[in-house]
């Protein structure tokens, strides 16, 4: 239990609470990098105050092509914007940590003597996120693009984030096995980075595109480079059976598992031009009670994705701390 790290939650979706309209903007939360960077820092700090050990950069939707077209900038400006997401996360950590240490020195009961300084994880979404049509939940685009298309889209984004300085890196919401294999091989160009691959799954046994989850996992870890793998942005009720299905590979490849589901709702968007929305039941009530099982199954990084708030992360933080003391 001592090696379990708490990831943040849905910082991007939390920005909707600030009356920032993102549902019809192709840049989604990356727009806020341009319009309200202080809002991003506030959201990061909210999760840090809730107990997150790792916060993710607001770069999921920061595709260079989209930034150039809808952010009215050139490639250099797009790269700078992507790196800005790292700088803002670092600033949030530094400001939070300075305040936290001051409180600890003053004997504030809300601080913990053994808390470590939080870390920053750079993240990118799949190729399908660039289509801004909910394709990261389906993966149907995979038959219309080449391996080189994926590499050309993702390599400069990865280079930008890594160049700004990271503790972890996440290839997340990957809905299709083939894309996961491509981006996993691409990460060999960054050998000293702690990288995880997180799949988006449509049920308790399959990726968003329909491949068996266990087979998809085995395909990205078999060469021994990727040591962190798991699931994100799917219903919390799917997590336990998904993790159970990969226990053999966890043991055979000495894997660390990652789990950060959404609240059970799914992002639906009819087309690039239309506004999207989250639909379906909110399943957060049973989220935290399942976390001990996920940890027993080998999860070492646990948090939330879309529609999860600081209060949800605090519940996980308190639960993990209680288990450590038991």
């Amino acid at each position: 239990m001592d090696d379990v790290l708490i990831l943040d939650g849905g910082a991007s979706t939390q920005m909707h609470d600030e009356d920032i309209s993102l549902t019809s903007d192709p840049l989604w939360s990356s727009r806020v990098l341009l319009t309200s960077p202080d809002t991003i820092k506030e959201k990061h700090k909210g999760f840090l105050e809730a107990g997150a050990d790792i916060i993710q950069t607001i770069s999921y939707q920061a595709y260079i092509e989209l930034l150039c077209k809808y952010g009215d900038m050139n490639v250099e400006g797009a790269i700078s914007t992507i790196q800005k997401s790292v700088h803002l996360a670092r600033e949030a950590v530094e400001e939070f940590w300075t305040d936290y240490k001051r409180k600890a020195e003053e004997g504030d009961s809300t601080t913990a003597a053994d808390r470590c300084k939080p870390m920053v994880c750079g993240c990118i979404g799949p190729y399908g996120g660039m289509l801004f049509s909910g394709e990261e939940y389906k993966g149907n685009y995979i038959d219309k693009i080449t391996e080189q298309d994926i590499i050309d889209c993702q390599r400069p984004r990865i280079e930008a984030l890594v160049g700004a300085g990271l503790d972890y890196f996440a290839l997340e919401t990957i809905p299709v096995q083939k894309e996961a294999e491509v981006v996993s091989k691409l990460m060999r160009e960054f050998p000293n980075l702690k990288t995880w691959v997180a799949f988006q799954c449509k049920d308790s046994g399959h990726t968003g595109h329909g491949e068996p989850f266990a087979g998809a996992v085995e395909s990205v870890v078999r060469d021994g480079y990727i040591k962190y793998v798991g699931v994100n942005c799917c219903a919390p009720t799917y997590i336990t059976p998904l993790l159970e299905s990969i226990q053999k590979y966890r043991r055979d490849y000495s894997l660390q598992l990652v789990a950060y589901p959404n609240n059970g709702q799914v992002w639906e968007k009819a087309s690039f031009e239309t506004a999207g929305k989250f639909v379906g039941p909110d399943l957060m009530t049973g989220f935290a009670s399942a976390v001990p099982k996920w940890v027993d199954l080998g999860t070492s990084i646990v948090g939330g994705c879309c529609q999860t708030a600081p209060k949800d992360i605090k519940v996980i933080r308190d639960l993990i701390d209680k288990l450590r003391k038991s």
Side-chain angles (χ1 to χ4, degrees):
M1 201 65 68
D2 289 342
D3 60 352
V4 176
L5 296 172
I6 310 300
L7 188 64
D8 62 1
S12 292
T13 50
Q14 286 295 299
M15 290 182 206
H16 292 292
D17 294 339
E18 301 292 327
D19 293 324
I20 298 174
S21 179
L22 304 174
T23 59
S24 59
D25 191 331
L27 294 181
W28 196 44
S29 56
S30 298
R31 174 69 66 186
V32 191
L33 290 168
L34 308 177
T35 61
S36 185
D38 285 344
T39 297
I40 290 176
K41 287 173 62 174
E42 289 170 9
K43 294 305 177 186
H44 284 323
K45 289 179 184 178
F47 285 110
L48 292 169
E49 289 163 1
D53 297 306
I54 305 172
I55 57 172
Q56 290 189 286
T57 55
I58 302 299
S59 51
Y60 176 94
Q61 194 71 12
Y63 297 88
I64 290 178
E65 180 178 328
L66 294 186
L67 285 167
C68 290
K69 184 174 182 178
Y70 297 100
D72 192 24
M73 62 184 70
N74 56 24
V75 171
E76 290 74 19
I79 291 172
S80 178
T81 299
I82 292 171
Q83 293 187 321
K84 185 178 182 179
S85 71
V86 182
H87 302 324
L88 290 171
R90 285 287 181 207
E91 289 171 16
V93 167
E94 293 300 330
E95 291 171 14
F96 164 79
W97 194 240
T98 296
D99 189 51
Y100 189 87
K101 289 191 295 181
R102 177 188 59 77
K103 290 179 179 178
E105 291 170 357
E106 294 173 353
D108 191 318
S109 62
T110 64
T111 62
D114 60 348
R115 182 167 186 181
C116 295
K117 186 175 181 179
M119 295 170 283
V120 172
C121 174
C123 72
I124 61 171
Y127 183 96
M130 185 169 62
L131 306 178
F132 200 55
S133 60
E135 272 297 318
E136 57 262 66
Y137 292 99
K138 306 180 186 76
N140 294 329
Y141 57 87
I142 197 65
D143 296 324
K144 303 172 186 176
I145 61 174
T146 66
E147 179 174 330
Q148 194 61 47
D149 289 331
I150 297 171
I151 292 171
D152 291 344
C153 170
Q154 303 291 31
R155 179 186 278 130
R157 300 213 291 158
I158 298 168
E159 289 175 339
L161 289 166
V162 173
L166 301 171
D167 301 302
Y168 287 88
F169 187 76
L171 300 160
E172 63 179 15
T173 325
I174 307 296
V176 56
Q177 178 176 328
K178 180 179 177 182
E179 182 172 14
E181 293 171 357
V182 173
V183 291
S184 295
K185 285 188 285 188
L186 180 59
M187 293 313 297
R188 295 173 189 168
E189 299 176 13
F190 309 90
N192 299 316
L193 192 61
K194 292 181 179 179
T195 298
W196 73 69
V197 176
F199 287 90
Q200 197 287 321
C201 293
K202 66 178 182 179
D203 56 30
S204 59
H206 300 87
T207 67
H209 191 244
E211 300 93 354
F213 172 66
V217 166
E218 200 273 338
S219 75
V220 301
V221 303
R222 64 167 64 113
D223 69 355
Y225 178 73
I226 298 295
K227 289 298 185 182
Y228 293 81
V229 69
V231 195
N232 80 293
C233 213
C234 69
T237 50
Y238 297 159
I239 299 296
T240 297
L242 286 166
L243 297 183
E244 288 175 336
S245 74
I246 60 172
Q247 290 302 295
K248 178 183 185 302
Y249 302 126
R250 179 178 73 86
R251 294 187 295 269
D252 290 351
Y253 296 100
S254 301
L255 301 177
Q256 300 289 319
L257 303 186
V258 182
Y260 50 116
N262 55 34
N263 72 338
Q265 296 180 319
V266 175
W267 176 255
E268 283 193 354
K269 200 169 185 297
S271 68
F272 189 94
E273 293 80 12
T274 58
K277 60 182 179 179
F278 287 97
V279 298
D282 186 335
L283 303 176
M284 283 308 298
T285 303
F287 189 145
S289 62
V291 169
K293 178 64 174 178
W294 302 348
V295 173
D296 287 343
L297 290 169
T299 300
S300 60
I301 298 176
V302 59
C305 199
C306 292
Q307 302 290 84
T308 58
K311 63 181 177 62
D312 302 312
I313 300 307
K314 187 177 188 306
V315 170
I316 298 174
R317 170 87 274 167
D318 292 345
L319 177 63
I320 293 297
D321 288 345
K322 183 177 180 180
L323 291 172
R324 284 173 175 163
K325 295 174 182 177
S326 63

